[in-house]
Amino acid sequence: MTANTGIGQWRDVLLTALTPVIWGSTYIVTTELLPPDRPFTAALLRVLPAGLLLVMMGGWRPRTGEWGKLLMLSALNIGAFQALLFVAAYRLPGGLAAVVGACQPLLVMTLAWRLDSRRPAAMALWASLAGVAGMALLLLSPGTRWDGLGMLAAFGGAVVMACGTYLTRRWKLSAPVTALTGWQLSLGGLMLLPLALAIDPPLPRLGWAQFAGYGYLTLFGALLAYLLWFRGIARLSPVAVSSLGLLSPMTAVVLGWALLGQALSAQSLLGMAVVLGSVLAVQRSMMAPPAPKEGVAVRVN
């Protein structure tokens, strides 16, 4: 790996890392600005307007043979993931849900091992296990409440996101990243629409703060974040991309401390250091990975 290649890969890592950082900021926006008890409405308004805007900008239409894969990716990355995420969020403490979700890099390694016969790098494997431990130190407390259905939803969310990340990289679609992102957000949003209509109460009269909150979720939490995420999947190893997701709950903790005055214990600080070390170790271990057998999944603009 040349110096220029290494710099380019680290640049891609940093740009992709902006996505979980933005996602981490959406927690405080949701809790402080948006109407409560409308999770599917928040998810719908987050992804569907952003997706439709990107589709109109992209000027790309799926080919006949690509609809099946596109629908599958939309369900995995957006529709099913968002639904399971909110079920877990409502039935589990946020810390426990994040710890369960931290197993996602391990799931991606398992998929690559079973489907592509790629044994996981030892450093990446141990670093990912350390990431789960660090997340537990950061977020769990002795009084954490366990819920069976919530645990299943959290683990299911990790599984579908791992599959979506892996298959987005593995499958060959003719879309540039802007169009691929737009179509997934649009189709995933349409999958969330029946849930929002059937489960959530109607929105109350919104003020400027609520409009600003939904606008932030749409423009930053979905449009910008998913563009950077799918760009990263096209350029980096799926394991490297999935490990960056650990930065999302860590960002939420830091913002809660900085903006809401929430306490940070010595255990939390230790957990944060372990998570950062885990993410960096995974990135180092996955630099310049072997070319995938089926090629890069998307063409980047």
Side-chain angles (χ1 to χ4, degrees), residues 11 55 244 268:
R11 185 185 301 114
V55 166
L244 293 173
S268 298

Side-chain angles (χ1 to χ4, degrees), residues 51-291:
L52 294 175
L53 179 60
L54 288 175
V55 166
M56 289 187 292
M57 292 171 53
W60 176 85
R61 297 292 181 274
R63 298 171 181 171
T64 302
E66 294 177 327
W67 275 106
K69 291 181 178 179
L70 185 59
L71 286 168
M72 178 66 73
L73 292 179
S74 302
L76 292 172
N77 288 323
I78 311 298
F81 172 70
Q82 291 286 337
L84 290 167
L85 176 70
F86 281 111
V87 171
Y90 267 71
R91 299 189 68 94
L92 293 177
L96 182 55
V99 172
V100 176
C103 69
Q104 188 184 136
L106 298 170
L107 296 172
V108 175
M109 289 182 206
T110 302
L111 287 170
W113 189 6
R114 300 301 298 173
L115 298 180
D116 287 339
S117 299
R118 292 184 186 166
R119 294 181 64 88
M123 181 186 293
L125 178 60
W126 287 108
S128 297
L129 290 170
V132 176
M135 198 66 71
L137 285 171
L138 175 63
L139 297 170
L140 292 189
S141 64
T144 297
R145 174 179 55 84
W146 299 75
D147 176 88
L149 182 58
M151 291 289 291
L152 286 174
F155 183 70
V159 170
V160 298
M161 189 64 170
C163 292
T165 301
Y166 174 77
L167 292 175
T168 301
R169 173 76 180 185
R170 191 173 194 263
W171 282 345
K172 296 178 180 178
L173 294 180
S174 62
V177 69
T178 301
L180 181 64
T181 303
W183 278 94
Q184 288 191 71
L185 289 173
S186 299
L187 293 173
L190 292 175
M191 295 173 192
L192 290 168
L193 180 59
L195 293 174
L197 293 175
I199 298 174
D200 288 354
L203 283 173
R205 185 180 180 88
L206 301 179
W208 287 109
Q210 289 76 38
F211 278 115
Y214 283 123
Y216 179 85
L217 290 184
T218 297
L219 296 177
F220 292 92
L223 192 150
L224 176 61
Y226 274 106
L227 276 175
L228 293 173
W229 188 249
F230 289 123
R231 177 189 182 277
I233 291 175
R235 294 170 178 249
L236 300 170
S237 159
V239 175
V241 173
S242 63
S243 76
L244 293 173
L246 302 186
L247 299 176
S248 180
M250 196 176 75
T251 300
V253 169
V254 171
L255 289 176
W257 167 76
L259 300 179
L260 302 179
Q262 296 172 351
L264 274 178
S265 65
Q267 176 180 307
S268 298
L269 292 173
L270 175 60
M272 195 177 299
V274 172
V275 170
L276 282 174
S278 164
V279 172
L280 288 173
V282 171
Q283 302 309 310
R284 288 284 299 177
S285 69
M286 302 308 296
M287 286 292 179

